Amino acid sequence: MKIAIVTGASSGLGREIVRQMEAVFPEIEQYWLIARRQNQLKELAASLPEGRAECLPLDLCDPMSFITLQEKLAAEHPEVALLVNNAGCGYLGSIGEVETSTQTRMIDLNLRALTAVTNITVPFMAPGSRILNVSSIAAFCPTPRMTVYSASKSYVSAFTIGLAEELKPKGITATAVCPAPMQTEFLDAGRIAGNSRMFETLPYCDQVQVAGGALRAARAGRTIYTPKLFYKFYRLVAKVTPVKLMVKFTKT
């Protein structure tokens, strides 16, 4: 059976990716939906054709979740045609001014969980399988007041580029999507809404368009996908401008 595994599937971009997946990956027979909130997962599963979705209510900040996923894969031995590492979090606040647990949660979810889930899943992939990692425009340059978040997303992008090269002999591709802010609960959960002048002035991305574009980029085997011309230009500027200068303009 060909399956897709989607982390952070209960809301926002992850939920939208699941909704659009059949249009881009019609060969996928079942979706394994991973998130903490079981009720929201069940609601999403109910909107899909009967029997197509399986809900895995796992907290990816808990290392036991990796064991659960690994054991399920080993028991059922599906072919993972698409892995979407969407689970992540970002919190506004300077180092030393935010709870340590808040800062380390970003590392646990954005880095550790993404790495672990990928490592567990790759052995169950075949030639033609795809990995889609959700990064951010914050990966392009360090972002004061979201320093840990931007550093974690730099890891996601760098990890994806290296992974794409590693997996090329196996016929597996890896894609990082780097969206700008979107109107999702991420803004409220991260205490960003109403507390950042930068976020109030940036042009926002539409999650429906980002989800569709990201899936198509993964299908095409692109390594980096940046929605919106404005942010493609920002990525270019960040590449050619000294980082010590750029960081003066990226403060959130």
Side-chain angles (χ1 to χ4, degrees), residues 1 3 30 32 54 56 69-79 124:
M1 176 182 285
I3 71 164
Q30 190 175 59
W32 289 10
E54 184 162 354
L56 304 179
L69 178 60
Q70 190 163 30
E71 289 178 346
K72 182 173 177 61
L73 285 166
E76 301 189 21
H77 219 279
E79 178 185 328
F124 296 90

Side-chain angles (χ1 to χ4, degrees), residues 3-7 32-34 54-60 62-78 80 83-85 113-122 124:
I3 71 164
I5 297 176
V6 184
T7 71
W32 289 10
L33 310 178
I34 298 176
E54 184 162 354
C55 300
L56 304 179
L58 301 174
D59 181 356
L60 294 178
D62 180 356
M64 286 301 297
S65 65
F66 310 140
I67 296 173
T68 300
L69 178 60
Q70 190 163 30
E71 289 178 346
K72 182 173 177 61
L73 285 166
E76 301 189 21
H77 219 279
V80 182
L83 167 63
V84 180
N85 283 307
L114 178 141
T115 305
V117 170
T118 304
N119 195 61
I120 290 166
T121 304
V122 164
F124 296 90

Side-chain angles (χ1 to χ4, degrees), residues 183-206:
Q183 288 292 354
T184 67
E185 63 181 35
F186 175 91
L187 299 177
D188 292 321
R191 309 181 197 111
I192 298 165
N195 295 313
S196 169
R197 185 177 299 175
M198 176 67 77
F199 272 81
E200 291 173 3
T201 58
L202 287 173
Y204 275 42
C205 283
D206 178 82

Side-chain angles (χ1 to χ4, degrees), residues 102 160 194 226 231:
T102 299
T160 303
T226 306
Y231 293 109

Side-chain angles (χ1 to χ4, degrees), residues 78-83 121-127 129-131 167 172:
E79 178 185 328
V80 182
L82 176 65
L83 167 63
T121 304
V122 164
F124 296 90
M125 291 184 152
S129 293
R130 304 282 189 260
I131 297 171
L167 296 178
I172 301 169

